[in-house]
Amino acid sequence: MPLNDPPAGRFWRLAALAWLVLVLAVCVHQWQFWKQGRIDTNVMALLPMDEQAPDVSLATAQLSEQLQRQIVVLLGTGDWAHTREAVQVFRTTLQRATSARLTEEPPPRADGMQAAMAFYRPWRASLLTPQQRAMLMHTPEEQWVEHALRDLYQPGAQARLADWVSDPLALWTGWWAARATQSQARPRDGELWVSAQGQQWAVMQFALDGSAFRLSGEADIGSAMSQALEAVRARWPEAQMLTAGVPLHAEAAAVQAHGEINVIGWGSLAGVLLLAWLAFRSLRPVLLVGLSLLVGCAVALSVTAVFFGQVHLLTLVFGASLVGVAEDYGIHYFASRQGAPERSPHGLMRALLPALVLALVTSVIAYLALGAAAFPGLRQMAVFSVVGLAAAMLTVVCWFPWLDRGHVPHSRAAQRIGATLALWPRWRNALPWSLVLSAAAMAWIWGGHLLHGMDDVRQLQSSPAELVRQQIEVSRVLGLPSPAQFYLVKGSSAQDVLEREEALKERLDALIAQGEIAGYVAVSDWVPSARTQARDAQLSERARKVVLAGVGEQLGETFAEPAKPQAQEQEQVQPLSVEAWITQPIASAARMLWLGEKGGALRSLVMLRGVRGQAALPALERAAQGLAGVLWVDKPAEISAVLQRYRVSMTELLLVGHVLVLVALCTRFGRNAWRAWLPTVLASLAVVILMALMGEPWQLFNVLALMLLLGVGIDYGIYLQEHEDDPQAWLAVVIGAGSTWLSFGLLGLSRTPALHAFGLTLMLGLPLVLVLAPLFRAARVHGNVRRADTHSTHSITTEERV
């Protein structure tokens, strides 16, 4: 159809203008997006909400949200006086580094303990430790009296928090001593202090203002702390620093992502543009292909942000590799322009549309399969990729015929690449032999020759080893509980939750005695249930009366308890409640364990300290069995199970994807559809075997890479079937395959294990598809051998007839 046909001209003009308006809207959104900085670095956000235990996923998300802005710093020297001075130098230097965006939480107040005791005092008779409770329930009363007498005659042996008559057994003092064991840090001289490893450590806690993710590539927090440590070491060279906190890991991931985005994104873009220059020897194809890639990535980012609210860090890194796929449309257009210079750009575009649309459809099928898993991160990547490919193709279709008004010169490199197609053999009896090889490969794989599978959450992150070491060391020195394993406790009311916590703690006390764990932290440590408070109050009151009577009998004296203020008696009518406790400063010790109400139920966490490795996990899991509303959560094991489950389901979905792609191919090529399909099948099976022989673990992300290989590899077969024996089509395939391989080859350099596995799979698979695709061309009909230099024109004519 001539270019100057009025209806066609109006259609192309309207399409170009409509796409321009949409791209301008995207530009406005991009400015707002980067200004707001809506980048998500939380690894847990990538993971699916476990459909078998959604409460666990919600609890983990809440716990992560509470921890994601907190940083703990331990600064120590061999002398406490030096440490105190070093802390002041550290603080002063850190405050000057405004880029760090840190706010220090105030050190404990000198009157903080007095305020906490004043709050608890009305309920002091209702508060007992498990050891005190057992002593009062199972120890003879004579021993109570003997214990009280010893304390009476040795008043300096233990500092008391109440007078002897009110608390002869020092139960109130013992309860506070038990609370103090939940953290190794102690207030000292206005600081938090802990002694470990021969060092006198000061503990500082900081809160991050804003997100730890910055695309500047600068480690603002880490650099600021390093500078502060250098200032300290200028006076105390032996000073040491340990740091821990989610923001530090997020910043490290951001710095790594900045480098990888530069290497993968800009490296792929440079490679693509270099290949385009070598093939077309003109600046115009290079600029226009670059434009299509830029528009594709921008539109993909905006649509992803609109759909998900935030864009994850790994989506950006993965999206950087999209450059190697999205350029195929522009490369194919300019390769055809080079082979048919007499054709008008719009006429040529009409002829190319069937192949471009079919290539997009097969890629979309593969990417949609990628997003079929219930992984928010994978769904983001799928949406980003599908939208990016569609936007790149629409840019080519709508704008290239208008912007490409010059001549595309022939280049010697392009001619040599195109001429190699004529030298490529054709595989006779390709269909039966391919089926035999595929069956043999599947039998080999099904026979269990694959090496071990790896389903580990660490595939999704790659924190520096030194940062991980310091995190572990801080947790050990301070005795912090681990967020990896915990108990989720649910109840219809706060009292239900507290009572169920206490039932669980009875079992955990037995495990502490066996050495399986060092301890636990729970809200009921600070707020016992009303039933426990009433029982403990009775035990305390009985013990007080028995002890006073027994001691008075032995000493010949009568002890009278001071009268209680009426207001205090009225306060004690109501038990201590979570609502009253959670607003107090002392609640900071366990406030994050109280998750509050969700879905009509109240929830809390019971966290563990000093778990004795993997060997203790079965006993900890059994501790929750049979307890209503108590669920054992082993987050690493849960994530591994989810990854394994989806590895299997996505493998099944990969097979379904192959069937759907074959059906799509049949609508275009009929009985010859297998010629465009089987090269990718054989390449996928070969990749699995090669990975096994290389000793690489097989994981979910290898399967997802095979899905992408399906979408990309099929394109090569489509182009060769649409333009059989056309050297220009072969040129487009080779250039596209080279740029795609470059993109995903660079992705294989990522230090994130999941992306590395993804890239390595495609690094092996893409060249195999490129080598196999020409072998599946139909055999030439005798007497129909055409010269390579005239075939491209015939190919365009054939396309116009189609």
Side-chain angles (χ1 to χ4, degrees):
M1 183 179 295
L3 178 61
N4 59 1
D5 181 75
R10 285 195 298 271
F11 170 78
W12 290 110
R13 190 175 294 107
L14 287 175
L17 290 175
W19 187 239
L20 176 62
V21 171
L22 183 59
V23 170
L24 291 176
V26 167
C27 292
V28 174
H29 179 269
Q30 287 287 296
W31 181 80
Q32 295 175 343
F33 175 84
W34 291 112
K35 185 178 179 181
Q36 296 168 357
R38 289 182 290 157
I39 302 296
D40 189 4
T41 59
N42 181 12
V43 172
M44 305 307 294
L46 290 171
L47 302 175
M49 179 181 289
D50 189 355
E51 63 276 10
Q52 298 178 352
D55 284 334
V56 173
S57 297
L58 289 172
T60 304
Q62 284 185 260
L63 181 61
S64 175
E65 183 179 354
Q66 295 180 46
L67 297 176
Q68 67 182 352
R69 298 189 185 280
Q70 297 179 4
I71 298 176
V72 177
V73 178
L74 271 64
L75 185 66
T77 67
D79 181 78
W80 174 240
H82 291 168
T83 299
R84 289 181 60 196
E85 295 179 32
V87 165
Q88 300 307 318
V89 173
F90 185 90
R91 286 191 179 115
T92 302
T93 308
L94 193 63
Q95 287 173 359
R96 298 195 190 110
T98 56
S99 61
R101 300 168 288 124
L102 296 175
T103 302
E104 184 178 5
E105 297 181 4
R109 294 167 45 191
D111 59 348
M113 184 61 180
Q114 288 76 11
M117 290 178 58
F119 167 72
Y120 274 104
R121 194 174 302 279
W123 299 281
R124 69 180 187 184
S126 305
L127 303 174
L128 295 177
T129 68
Q131 294 76 17
Q132 291 172 338
R133 190 177 301 114
M135 184 266 291
L136 295 181
M137 294 176 64
H138 305 297
T139 303
E141 296 177 355
E142 293 78 6
Q143 294 186 17
W144 303 352
V145 175
E146 292 176 5
H147 177 74
L149 279 170
R150 285 197 303 270
D151 284 352
L152 185 62
Y153 284 110
Q154 297 178 343
Q158 182 179 9
R160 284 180 165 272
L161 301 179
D163 62 89
W164 187 90
V165 174
S166 300
D167 186 14
L169 293 177
L171 299 177
W172 175 238
T173 303
W175 186 85
W176 276 108
R179 303 289 76 76
T181 61
Q182 295 192 354
S183 174
Q184 304 296 334
R186 299 286 184 271
R188 182 178 180 182
D189 298 328
E191 303 286 350
L192 275 177
W193 160 82
V194 64
S195 178
Q197 302 173 341
Q199 296 284 99
Q200 302 296 311
W201 301 96
V203 182
M204 293 172 281
Q205 302 179 66
F206 295 90
L208 177 66
D209 180 18
S211 172
F213 180 83
R214 293 289 181 90
L215 274 181
S216 64
E218 299 294 331
D220 294 336
I221 302 173
S223 297
M225 289 192 172
S226 296
Q227 292 173 9
L229 180 61
E230 289 177 4
V232 169
R233 284 180 172 171
R235 294 182 57 185
W236 300 278
E238 77 283 3
Q240 298 182 28
M241 181 178 71
L242 297 174
T243 59
V246 174
L248 298 173
H249 294 269
E251 183 179 74
V255 172
Q256 176 184 319
H258 178 269
E260 292 184 356
I261 289 172
N262 282 337
V263 172
I264 296 170
W266 295 111
S268 343
L269 180 60
V272 168
L273 298 182
L274 177 61
L275 289 173
W277 170 260
L278 292 176
F280 307 120
R281 292 292 182 176
S282 173
L283 187 60
R284 187 176 65 262
V286 173
L287 294 178
L288 289 182
V289 169
L291 175 65
S292 69
L293 299 178
L294 180 62
V295 172
C297 290
V299 175
L301 182 60
S302 291
V303 173
T304 304
V306 169
F307 268 87
F308 296 95
Q310 288 186 317
V311 179
H312 199 277
L313 171 63
L314 286 185
T315 301
L316 288 180
V317 178
F318 179 84
S321 64
L322 186 67
V323 169
V325 183
E327 49 76 41
D328 283 357
Y329 310 114
I331 293 293
H332 194 56
Y333 168 82
F334 280 108
S336 298
R337 279 275 288 141
Q338 192 179 62
E342 74 284 356
R343 298 297 302 167
S344 67
H346 286 93
L348 179 64
M349 184 57 70
R350 283 194 299 273
L352 293 178
L353 267 179
L356 295 179
V357 171
L358 185 58
L360 177 63
V361 168
T362 54
S363 297
V364 166
I365 290 174
Y367 278 115
L368 289 180
L370 179 72
F375 279 68
L378 295 180
R379 287 179 174 173
Q380 272 200 21
M381 294 177 188
V383 169
F384 189 100
S385 301
V386 168
V387 174
L389 288 177
M393 195 200 79
L394 286 173
T395 303
V396 171
V397 172
C398 296
W399 287 357
F400 276 28
W402 293 105
L403 299 176
D404 176 34
R405 290 299 183 179
H407 176 69
V408 180
H410 286 272
S411 70
R412 185 174 300 177
Q415 291 175 344
R416 288 179 178 177
I417 294 174
T420 59
L421 182 62
L423 304 176
W424 217 272
R426 300 168 190 261
W427 190 2
R428 295 194 177 189
N429 301 317
L431 180 59
W433 278 109
S434 297
L435 295 177
V436 169
L437 289 175
S438 299
M442 293 183 70
W444 188 85
I445 297 169
W446 189 264
H449 292 280
L450 277 177
L451 293 183
H452 65 284
M454 184 177 73
D455 305 297
D456 193 335
V457 69
R458 287 173 294 183
Q459 302 170 56
L460 303 175
Q461 61 182 358
S462 54
S463 293
E466 175 61 18
L467 198 57
V468 174
R469 184 195 69 79
Q470 291 191 36
Q471 183 89 27
I472 295 173
E473 195 65 21
V474 169
S475 297
R476 190 187 68 80
V477 170
L478 296 180
L480 300 177
S482 169
Q485 290 91 16
F486 55 85
Y487 296 93
L488 176 63
V489 184
K490 295 173 54 180
S492 59
S493 67
Q495 292 305 313
D496 282 344
V497 173
L498 296 175
E499 289 176 7
R500 290 170 177 178
E501 279 191 12
E502 291 166 348
L504 171 64
K505 285 159 54 178
E506 289 182 7
R507 298 186 180 185
L508 295 180
D509 288 336
L511 296 180
I512 293 175
Q514 298 170 14
E516 299 291 348
I517 57 175
Y520 52 76
V521 290
V523 174
S524 55
D525 293 339
W526 299 89
V527 186
S529 67
R531 184 169 61 183
T532 297
Q533 291 182 51
R535 180 187 59 182
D536 289 351
Q538 293 176 356
L539 287 173
S540 299
E541 181 64 17
R542 175 173 171 269
R544 186 186 62 80
K545 292 180 179 179
V546 168
V547 169
L548 291 180
V551 172
E553 183 179 349
Q554 292 195 30
L555 299 180
E557 296 184 12
T558 301
F559 298 97
E561 182 180 358
K564 298 179 182 178
Q566 185 177 2
Q568 183 172 323
E569 292 181 355
Q570 292 175 352
E571 284 181 359
Q572 285 189 300
V573 173
Q574 296 296 326
L576 173 62
S577 66
V578 174
E579 293 78 7
W581 164 81
I582 207 166
T583 60
Q584 299 296 314
I586 190 64
S588 62
R591 185 181 287 117
M592 72 175 184
L593 301 178
W594 189 257
L595 301 181
E597 189 273 337
K598 194 76 173 182
L602 289 167
R603 300 163 305 135
S604 72
L605 301 180
V606 176
M607 302 183 72
L608 306 172
R609 295 185 290 109
V611 178
R612 189 179 61 86
Q614 296 289 324
L617 299 183
L620 292 170
E621 183 177 7
R622 288 193 297 272
Q625 293 176 358
L627 294 180
V630 178
L631 181 64
W632 164 247
V633 179
D634 183 353
K635 200 60 186 177
E638 175 201 331
I639 294 171
S640 295
V642 171
L643 291 174
Q644 181 182 27
R645 186 164 71 251
Y646 278 102
R647 175 163 54 87
V648 174
S649 64
M650 294 304 287
T651 301
E652 297 170 349
L653 196 57
L654 174 62
L655 300 177
V656 174
H658 270 276
V659 174
L660 294 176
V661 166
L662 181 59
V663 171
L665 293 173
C666 287
T667 61
R668 177 66 178 169
F669 302 120
R671 293 183 178 180
N672 284 324
W674 61 272
R675 296 186 182 276
W677 175 64
L678 278 177
T680 304
V681 174
L682 291 176
S684 299
L685 293 171
V687 167
V688 176
I689 294 173
L690 285 173
M691 295 282 285
L693 295 177
M694 291 167 59
E696 291 286 333
W698 193 251
Q699 52 182 280
L700 170 65
F701 296 92
N702 296 110
V703 180
L704 299 177
L706 291 183
M707 285 189 167
L708 184 57
L709 181 64
L710 169 63
V712 175
I714 289 294
D715 292 353
Y716 306 155
I718 291 173
Y719 294 145
L720 290 178
Q721 291 300 310
E722 283 282 351
H723 315 294
E724 186 178 344
D725 293 334
D726 184 355
Q728 302 306 133
W730 176 239
L731 170 66
V733 168
V734 172
I735 298 297
S739 58
T740 304
W741 184 87
L742 177 62
S743 294
F744 288 106
L746 291 174
L747 193 64
L749 300 178
S750 172
R751 286 179 291 173
T752 302
L755 296 179
H756 170 76
F758 199 98
L760 181 61
T761 304
L762 289 166
M763 188 188 299
L764 296 174
L766 289 169
L768 289 174
V769 178
L770 180 65
V771 170
L772 291 172
L775 300 179
F776 283 79
R777 290 173 296 156
R780 297 188 188 187
V781 179
H782 184 69
N784 191 33
V785 179
R786 294 178 292 273
R787 291 173 54 190
D789 59 349
T790 62
H791 179 68
S792 60
T793 303
H794 173 80
S795 177
I796 293 296
T797 307
T798 301
E799 291 162 3
E800 286 186 301
R801 289 201 303 267
V802 174

